[in-house]
Amino acid sequence: METISISKSILLFLIAIQLGCQLISSSVTYDGKAIVINGRRRILISGSIHYPRSTPEMWEDIIMKAKEGGLDVIETYVFWNVHEPSPGNYNFEGRYNLVRFLKTVQKAGLYAHLRMGPYVCAEWNFGGFPVWLKYVPGISFRTDNEPFKRAMKGFTEKIVNLLMYENLFEPQGGPIILSQIENEYGALDKKYGAAGYNYMTWAAEMAVGLRTGVPWTMCKQDDAPDPIINTCNGFYCDAFKPNKPYKPTLWTEAWTGWFTEFGGAVHKRPVQDLAFAVARFIQKGGSFVNYYMYHGGTNFGRSAGGPFITTSYDYDAPLDEYGLIRQPKYGHMTELHKAIKRCEPALVSGDPTVFSLGAHQQAHVFYSEFGHCAAFLSNYNTANATRVMFNKMHHTLPPWSISILPDCSNIIFNTAKIGVQSTRMSMIPDNSQMLSWESYSEDLTTSVEDSTFTSFGLLDQVNVTRDASDYLWYITSVDVGPSESFLHGGEHPKLLVQSTGHALHVYINGQLAGSAFGTRESRRIKYKNTIKLRSGRNKIALLSVAMGLSNIGGHYESWETGILGPVVLYGLDQGKRDLTHAKWSYQVGLKGEAMDVVSTNGMSSVEWVQGSLIAQNNQPLTWHKAYFNQPNGNEPLALDMHSMRKGQVWVNGQSIGRYWTAYATGDCQRCHYSGNYRPTKCQVGCGRPTQRWYHVPRSWLKPTGNILVLFEELGGDPTRISLAKRSMTRVCADMFEYRPNNKDWLTESYGKTQVIHRPKIHIQCNPGLLISSIKFASFGTPFGTCGNFQRGSCHAPSSYGVVSKRCIGKESCAITISNSNFGQDPCPNTLKRLTVEAVCAPTSRG
Ligand code: GAL
């Protein structure tokens, strides 16, 4: 007995030592310069791809494109509310299969940065917290509060254990090299005083105590305690320094664009400025950049945060919502990454030496002990190009740009000069039809008597629904005596309804009387309108619609949603009648939701009305359904919802998301790449629906007999809904000719030989598409942007013929920019360019 127990304890001891060694012999560390992996300092380029925002079938393709785009690391948040929908019940299936996602990253040979939060912000419903968390007794989010800390620790441990079990941390041979705890807590920390500081230090200790073997980060947390690395998020991060000299300078969110809200314009960030910001960060000694987002994807279901965040989370990222390459953003950043990587040996060797090259121009020069020299020449002037002298050579620096010289003599990249083609994607209507439309009107007969429950006064929406549905009915009744003067020719009464959001539909005696909507900034809404009452009992039914719970702000868990009043009827003979404290009855969700009409099983439980009646019907609060076959090909698909107004849509029982064709307001006039960027600077889509197309992943479809179900709140014509294929239809290329005094970034030295790269434009259609025509071609001084090019005063008449001959009928073509190619010089002594816009179309075979 004795011997057995002794050998048992020795065995346990040995296992413990081994585990301990495995954990502490971490191969990921850091120093003041960089993250160190297996003893090597690395300049790491990373990109955010959130696994629930695409489908597992899309992951590999997206991740491989990221790798080809020059990324080393994939970053994702972990989304607590999808993994633990109710306390203790976990879901890691399908789009929530975090392990599969990380293994796909690993298979691609990339690293991962896991931002565990569990608070994530991310324009995600409730910032990633499950709504049930709000109802844990005594809880207060993100502060020194025991119930919260217990829950946060429980979930963080759950994730770490799962990933350890799967050997996913780098010291175990897995891809994860970094993890983040909390998210941008710095500002709240200061606001919450001692409780904030205590919570932050607790979170740091808790995370470090999990012994994952890889470093932890805290973003926007100036006082992050050792060994946690504090990191920067923003449009620019070149002014950022970590809180200790022995921590590297990491940028965890380099915003590639911005998110969109319903009713707002779509934000674009010019790639020249993004490249400038990244080069500027690297030249200051930064060693890790993560693009937020590299692929934004889709807020399927009710996952959008908010309120009012659109279903599309495209973000103007290098890979678009559908996972397709966005040019020139993707290509230009890829070229930047190549240029940075060529400087890596010098970049990781030490701090740069900075030289002034002019009033707004600088050189940052890095030297390695092995004789490498790399230089970044920057021009911060927003308006003018400047000629500078560096290393005994003249260089012209475009405004607001950085040139990269990996050998300190040849410029191989300039952030403002785009050398890759631009593409224009279009939504091409597919001719497959939506078949046999049927509709079902949401039943409005619930009365105060037969609803779920009643209460005196108005209740917070989420307290009632627990976010099980976007919809909550508030129903009351008003008795009107036969002698009321408005019944005898007098003025009709007015109803005032004040709500804290997010949208409101007012029904009087079963008829829609009007609607009101909040905005993301002001969630308060006010409805005040004349209503038609009758003598006797009148039913006032208010449908409050939540459009994504807040994901940001101090103690947002306590913010209220829904109709909290006052609700007042004005203009009765007695004066005003305050209904705020009247008897209200509540019905959570829609009848169609309760009967699960979106699923094949639930669908048959209601009476659907045949198609021919629908067009006349055009009713609010109506469910519609139709069948369709999957369009052929492999282009991504989207539903064109322009004929509808507001609601939700499902395909084969899977929620595509909320739709709303609210028109975008904003200023879409100005956009220039130079100067500090802000989201309102470069907007598109003003005066059109903010989001017209809704991504339907192909993997959710069968070849035939797919079922589309939608719920429309306001009324629209479902028979005009169609599917569209997202295809690249236009390709543009544009480049300057080579001239001896304009040779920057066109020459390269290999030892003593100098190679001159004659500039060439390349045009490439997607596989299956051929160049069918040339929409624009000019060798001379053309101007404008892809889609709107125009001839300048100098133009070679042969331009169109030369380009057409080389390109039409081909998948790709290349044309060297030289006078001889175009017959003769159309304007000697003028710097010329070749600009082409080509049309890509399916091959006759395809
Ligand atoms: C950051 C936040 C991200 C995301 C981003 C805006 O402040 O950390 O999660 O919300 O803003 O897209």
Side-chain angles (χ1 to χ4, degrees):
M1 279 304 271
E2 182 80 333
T3 22
I4 294 173
S5 71
I6 288 177
S7 54
K8 231 185 184 174
S9 16
I10 292 177
L11 187 68
L12 284 176
F13 178 68
L14 287 176
I15 292 175
I17 291 196
Q18 208 195 327
L19 275 176
C21 288
Q22 203 183 2
L23 295 180
I24 34 190
S25 69
S26 155
S27 47
V28 186
T29 55
Y30 62 80
D31 62 18
K33 190 62 229 171
I35 299 288
V36 180
I37 306 177
N38 294 321
R40 208 180 121 206
R41 284 177 175 167
R42 299 291 304 272
I43 300 291
L44 294 169
I45 310 289
S46 170
S48 294
I49 301 173
H50 296 157
Y51 53 98
R53 284 176 157 146
S54 54
T55 60
E57 292 75 11
M58 294 166 69
W59 290 344
E60 187 162 355
D61 177 59
I62 293 173
I63 290 167
M64 286 315 292
K65 284 173 177 157
K67 182 177 182 170
E68 279 152 29
L71 264 55
D72 308 291
V73 184
I74 302 298
E75 179 275 344
T76 183
Y77 280 128
V78 177
F79 298 86
W80 187 355
N81 53 7
V82 305
H83 294 308
E84 198 178 352
S86 61
N89 292 320
Y90 293 97
N91 182 0
F92 290 97
E93 299 297 314
R95 280 188 295 125
Y96 311 146
N97 195 335
L98 174 62
V99 168
R100 174 169 168 185
F101 181 79
L102 291 169
K103 289 192 172 168
T104 313
V105 170
Q106 182 174 29
K107 189 172 147 218
L110 297 178
Y111 295 122
H113 178 203
L114 200 68
R115 302 215 286 165
M116 291 197 217
Y119 167 70
V120 297
C121 193
E123 291 69 71
W124 192 259
N125 197 45
F126 218 38
F129 288 132
V131 172
W132 57 256
L133 192 66
K134 172 174 167 168
Y135 299 96
V136 168
I139 206 154
S140 181
F141 285 8
R142 304 177 74 201
T143 188
D144 194 7
N145 168 275
E146 287 310 320
F148 178 78
K149 290 193 299 188
R150 206 175 309 124
M152 169 164 165
K153 183 168 185 229
F155 181 70
T156 313
E157 274 176 356
K158 169 91 190 167
I159 295 297
V160 167
N161 291 342
L162 170 73
L163 304 183
M164 283 252 181
Y165 177 79
E166 297 283 348
N167 291 322
L168 286 166
F169 287 93
E170 208 277 346
Q172 303 176 290
I176 306 169
I177 53 161
L178 280 176
S179 299
Q180 177 182 295
I181 194 75
E182 249 295 340
N183 189 77
E184 296 193 337
Y185 188 65
L188 284 190
D189 175 353
K190 297 204 173 76
K191 228 161 100 192
Y192 295 177
Y197 184 77
N198 292 343
Y199 161 68
M200 186 276 290
T201 44
W202 166 85
E205 259 172 51
M206 185 272 285
V208 173
L210 295 173
R211 297 166 61 88
T212 58
V214 301
W216 285 90
T217 58
M218 275 184 153
C219 60
K220 284 199 168 176
Q221 188 72 56
D222 295 346
D223 52 358
D226 287 2
I228 295 195
I229 311 165
N230 63 308
T231 68
C232 183
N233 292 348
F235 288 112
Y236 305 93
C237 274
D238 49 287
F240 172 80
K241 278 273 151 263
N243 59 19
K244 295 282 169 44
Y246 45 82
K247 295 180 184 176
T249 306
L250 315 183
W251 187 359
T252 36
E253 288 182 28
W255 297 323
T256 53
W258 201 239
F259 58 82
T260 311
E261 54 192 89
F262 285 117
V266 175
H267 309 286
K268 298 274 173 186
R269 183 171 188 191
V271 66
Q272 301 96 317
D273 178 60
L274 179 63
F276 176 67
V278 171
R280 201 167 167 173
F281 176 73
I282 299 287
Q283 76 173 3
K284 289 288 277 301
S287 56
F288 175 100
V289 180
N290 175 67
Y291 297 106
Y292 188 99
M293 300 297 296
Y294 195 76
H295 169 255
T298 309
N299 293 315
F300 294 114
R302 298 168 53 243
S303 65
F308 299 112
I309 300 295
T310 51
T311 293
S312 167
Y313 197 64
D314 179 89
Y315 224 90
D316 196 31
L319 299 177
D320 73 12
E321 178 182 0
Y322 301 84
L324 300 177
I325 285 173
R326 169 171 277 130
Q327 293 287 37
K329 203 166 222 175
Y330 174 91
H332 192 54
M333 297 312 285
T334 307
E335 295 303 308
L336 169 67
H337 303 150
K338 284 186 198 153
I340 291 173
K341 281 300 160 78
R342 284 184 53 182
C343 303
E344 190 173 6
L347 290 175
V348 296
S349 294
D351 293 332
T353 312
V354 186
F355 303 95
S356 169
L357 302 176
H360 304 283
Q361 292 75 29
Q362 283 181 326
H364 287 74
V365 188
F366 295 82
Y367 304 98
S368 83
E369 50 187 302
F370 306 106
H372 294 110
C373 173
F376 288 61
L377 309 185
S378 42
N379 181 8
Y380 309 116
N381 188 309
T382 53
N384 300 314
T386 311
R387 210 164 154 72
V388 297
M389 176 82 151
F390 173 75
N391 202 7
K392 303 193 201 97
M393 277 160 77
H394 285 288
H395 298 281
T396 307
L397 307 179
W400 198 252
S401 82
I402 295 179
S403 292
I404 301 181
L405 300 76
D407 57 357
C408 281
S409 35
N410 292 289
I411 294 179
I412 63 156
F413 181 85
N414 175 275
T415 56
K417 288 186 183 173
I418 299 178
V420 296
Q421 69 176 16
S422 308
T423 53
R424 289 226 325 209
M425 308 302 291
S426 307
M427 306 307 284
I428 309 290
D430 183 73
N431 40 25
S432 58
Q433 300 275 314
M434 294 287 165
L435 305 166
S436 44
W437 277 107
E438 290 184 323
S439 68
Y440 154 68
S441 272
E442 177 69 17
D443 181 358
L444 295 180
T445 53
T446 313
S447 62
V448 184
E449 286 70 38
D450 62 7
S451 63
T452 327
F453 72 94
T454 58
S455 149
F456 284 93
L458 295 159
L459 302 176
D460 171 80
Q461 178 158 349
V462 178
N463 284 346
V464 180
T465 64
R466 301 276 165 121
D467 201 34
S469 164
D470 276 1
Y471 300 99
L472 178 64
W473 282 107
Y474 293 70
I475 305 166
T476 193
S477 56
V478 173
D479 290 327
V480 170
S483 58
E484 281 288 345
S485 1
F486 78 85
L487 294 170
H488 307 283
E491 226 177 279
H492 279 276
K494 276 198 166 75
L495 179 69
L496 165 80
V497 182
Q498 294 225 47
S499 165
T500 46
H502 308 137
L504 164 72
H505 305 303
V506 177
Y507 277 81
I508 307 294
N509 297 323
Q511 294 299 314
L512 179 62
S515 301
F517 308 96
T519 62
R520 193 164 163 273
E521 289 69 38
S522 160
R523 291 166 304 124
R524 294 202 66 82
I525 40 183
K526 188 169 163 183
Y527 169 90
K528 193 170 184 187
N529 241 322
T530 305
I531 53 166
K532 282 208 180 108
L533 297 178
R534 59 186 177 215
S535 173
R537 178 150 290 191
N538 291 269
K539 180 175 158 192
I540 298 184
L542 308 174
L543 182 60
S544 180
V545 190
M547 294 203 61
L549 304 185
S550 296
N551 57 278
I552 188 166
H555 287 301
Y556 65 76
E557 77 272 21
S558 61
W559 297 0
E560 293 175 313
T561 308
I563 303 163
L564 294 169
V567 176
V568 186
L569 201 53
Y570 292 93
L572 294 175
D573 290 347
Q574 71 186 88
K576 70 174 187 183
R577 198 182 295 177
D578 193 340
L579 303 173
T580 314
H581 304 287
K583 185 175 175 192
W584 288 88
S585 66
Y586 292 86
Q587 188 190 304
V588 176
L590 306 165
K591 295 260 171 80
E593 287 179 299
M595 284 183 290
D596 199 18
V597 298
V598 305
S599 79
T600 355
N601 290 340
M603 205 167 278
S604 48
S605 51
V606 300
E607 288 281 315
W608 295 87
V609 178
Q610 291 293 314
S612 53
L613 298 172
I614 293 173
Q616 311 140 30
N617 216 350
N618 198 8
Q619 285 285 337
L621 296 203
T622 305
W623 296 84
H624 300 282
K625 73 177 172 75
Y627 290 90
F628 65 96
N629 294 335
Q630 181 174 176
N632 57 16
N634 53 11
E635 302 92 335
L637 300 174
L639 281 168
D640 181 352
M641 299 296 289
H642 77 285
S643 64
M644 304 308 290
R645 291 180 63 196
K646 184 177 183 302
Q648 289 179 36
V649 56
W650 294 259
V651 167
N652 295 335
Q654 300 260 23
S655 174
I656 300 296
R658 300 186 181 100
Y659 70 85
W660 190 10
T661 49
Y663 281 68
T665 52
D667 175 0
C668 289
Q669 295 305 309
R670 292 161 299 129
C671 179
H672 194 269
Y673 82 86
S674 82
N676 278 330
Y677 176 77
R678 47 185 197 288
T680 48
K681 191 173 153 183
C682 292
Q683 306 193 110
V684 296
C686 297
R688 296 202 295 263
T690 302
Q691 190 179 349
R692 172 174 170 179
W693 286 281
Y694 295 79
H695 182 203
V696 179
R698 281 223 183 233
S699 61
W700 292 358
L701 299 182
K702 307 176 277 185
T704 55
N706 298 289
I707 180 134
L708 170 77
V709 179
L710 60 116
F711 176 68
E712 168 59 51
E713 293 169 23
L714 294 164
D717 180 0
T719 60
R720 286 167 53 219
I721 295 176
S722 61
L723 275 166
K725 289 179 174 174
R726 186 161 174 88
S727 325
M728 179 169 98
T729 49
R730 297 286 162 88
V731 179
C732 296
D734 170 43
M735 201 178 270
F736 280 104
E737 67 176 334
Y738 166 80
R739 282 160 69 92
N741 62 354
N742 180 46
K743 71 182 176 99
D744 293 339
W745 75 305
L746 295 173
T747 59
E748 222 171 321
S749 310
Y750 295 103
K752 284 203 178 116
T753 3
Q754 248 211 349
V755 177
I756 297 173
H757 294 286
R758 287 270 166 200
K760 252 187 193 171
I761 60 158
H762 294 267
I763 293 175
Q764 169 96 49
C765 294
N766 274 351
L769 302 180
L770 297 182
I771 301 167
S772 63
S773 63
I774 300 298
K775 196 166 164 250
F776 183 92
S778 178
F779 175 57
T781 53
F783 58 94
T785 51
C786 186
N788 303 300
F789 287 129
Q790 288 177 43
R791 279 183 197 177
S793 54
C794 166
H795 169 74
S798 62
S799 308
Y800 181 81
V802 169
V803 175
S804 301
K805 195 161 163 234
R806 279 301 162 78
C807 300
I808 289 182
K810 304 208 175 118
E811 193 176 296
S812 68
C813 61
I815 301 163
T816 305
I817 308 169
S818 64
N819 287 321
S820 57
N821 246 338
F822 293 90
Q824 62 181 61
D825 191 339
C827 42
N829 300 323
T830 304
L831 179 66
K832 293 171 286 298
R833 66 204 301 169
L834 174 60
T835 301
V836 174
E837 181 176 341
V839 178
C840 295
T843 60
S844 44
R845 277 169 283 130

